[in-house]
Amino acid sequence: MTAANRSLADGLRWTAQGSAIFAGALAALPDGHLDRPTRLAGWSGRHLPAHLAANAEALVNLAHWARTGEERPMYSSPAQREADIAAGAKLPAAELRAWSARAAEALDARLAELDRRHWQRHVRTAQGRTVTAAEIPWMRAREVMVHAVDLGAGVEFGDLPADFLLALIDDITAKRSGADGPALALAATDHDGTWTVSGSGGPTRVAGTLAGLAAYLSGRRSDGVTGSAGDPAPTLPRWL
Ligand code: ZN
């Protein structure tokens, strides 16, 4: 139910939209605010652009793999990934901002080189999943859109495109089905849409706006999302 609901063109469009949304939110954050905590525990406003720059470079590796057939993993190791984010977060603000913009542009350029045949090649994500290269833009769109909200600089899930939110909810409900967690029957209150998550126990009904459900499912603060009989919706395990 995941890939069928979105096309490669959707992923590329959402990557462009999400990159612009993240860049706008980052630009609105004065240098003096970069050291403040974001909505992600333990990460300041410096860690998010550093992570997204490193993520863009990691996805450039997958684009290289898809274009040439030469295996090139996203990150050399999980420890290296953490170290690169920590080092990037210590850069002077101007350098950090420049790296964030440069890495995003480089990824766009590398993706623009891929043709039909390249997009169908198999690559491996940092989580060890084998996917076609056509998943790369979706992986990037998810990162830039959700982290734009995490930055806490004025972007909320409700500011993200509705068709992206629908695709995100499809993606996370599919991923959460079969993982540890409660069974859910979700319904959007501002849009036609119901989803199920298979899991433990009888399904708990969860209702909220598209934006609220996307926030809830991705493990973010989700005001106005309710469970059965107006109770708070069940707590979910980590998503990614
Ligand atoms: Zn991330």
Side-chain angles (χ1 to χ4, degrees), residues 150-173:
D150 291 334
L151 205 50
V155 177
E156 302 296 341
F157 277 91
D159 298 317
L160 305 181
D163 59 352
F164 167 79
L165 293 175
L166 281 168
L168 184 66
I169 295 171
D170 286 347
D171 190 49
I172 305 179
T173 50

Side-chain angles (χ1 to χ4, degrees), residues 25-36 93 97 153:
L26 183 63
L29 205 60
D31 286 353
H33 291 199
L34 287 174
D35 288 319
R36 295 185 183 176
R97 291 176 189 278

